[in-house]
């Protein structure tokens, strides 16, 4: 591990340290309400017809 740290340039080390706070922004994302991503009550248009997604199944 220490060999890897020695090979890193100062610029790469500084960039990595700057990126750490930015990673926290992505860590606290709320989980989606619908894990499948498909809402059965979503309204869609198919060939000019306005339907609910649940009507298609």
């Amino acid at each position: 591990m220490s060999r890897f740290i020695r090979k890193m340039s100062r610029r790469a080390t500084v960039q990595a340290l700057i990126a750490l706070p930015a990673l926290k922004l992505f860590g606290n994302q709320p989980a989606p309400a619908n894990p499948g991503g498909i809402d059965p009550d979503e309204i869609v248009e198919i060939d000019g017809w306005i339907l609910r997604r649940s009507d298609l199944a």
Side-chain angles (χ1 to χ4, degrees):
M1 182 71 174
S2 62
R3 239 202 243 158
F4 174 74
I5 292 173
R6 282 186 207 147
K7 284 187 174 185
M8 284 180 60
S9 67
R10 277 187 240 148
R11 177 176 285 178
T13 305
V14 170
Q15 287 176 342
L17 290 174
I18 291 172
L20 285 176
L23 292 175
K24 274 196 146 229
L25 295 174
F26 299 108
N28 295 333
Q29 294 290 329
N34 188 357
I38 298 174
D39 182 15
D41 290 331
E42 180 182 13
I43 296 175
V44 294
E45 178 188 354
I46 297 178
D47 295 329
W49 291 86
I50 306 297
L51 302 168
R52 281 192 186 147
R53 201 173 277 281
S54 61
D55 294 338
L56 299 174

